[in-house]
Amino acid sequence: NRFAIPGSDMAYSLTVTNSGGSPVDIGSLVLTDPLPANVTFYNGDYDAASPGMGPILVVAGSSGVTLPSSGIQFSTDGSTYSGTAAAGFTSAVRHLRLTPTGSLAANSSVTFRFRARVN
């Protein structure tokens, strides 16, 4: 569906921007995101046409950022994270924690996308 109505699948995006003139060492960066109550996370390949890609699509551009599979963790409560979650749409995932690697180049952005369903 083209609209965010209940039952619709959507691409959920988190964008990080370095608007400074120097690169940022991203080795210590940790992104946490509590999911809105009205979305259900999809734990499966972001793009069904690309088996094995995992649940998070990284649009790195010229940023130099990567996201290893070990850098994706899930939580039900926002305090205890693990690298595992049930496959498919899972309401048990209420928080994500992403630990990217590389460095965020000066004046660049990186976007992390995943699938979710509007409840």
Side-chain angles (χ1 to χ4, degrees):
N1 291 329
R2 294 178 10 165
F3 304 99
I5 58 175
S8 296
D9 290 356
M10 61 183 223
Y12 189 107
S13 299
L14 301 170
T15 300
V16 178
T17 301
N18 176 6
S19 57
S22 300
V24 174
D25 176 17
I26 215 158
S28 60
L29 179 66
V30 176
L31 304 170
T32 57
D33 186 47
L35 301 179
N38 63 337
V39 301
T40 300
F41 178 78
Y42 179 75
N43 187 27
D45 291 326
Y46 177 82
D47 181 355
S50 300
M53 79 174 298
I56 310 290
L57 171 68
V58 179
V59 182
S62 63
S63 70
V65 172
T66 60
L67 182 64
S69 60
S70 62
I72 304 169
Q73 295 181 309
F74 312 101
S75 177
T76 57
D77 60 9
S79 61
T80 304
Y81 286 86
S82 74
T84 60
F89 286 100
T90 175
S91 59
V93 174
R94 301 309 318 145
H95 303 261
L96 291 176
R97 181 165 60 190
L98 306 178
T99 310
T101 60
S103 65
L104 186 56
N107 300 306
S108 70
S109 297
V110 59
T111 299
F112 302 94
R113 290 190 182 136
F114 58 89
R115 289 173 52 192
R117 178 167 288 155
V118 178
N119 298 329

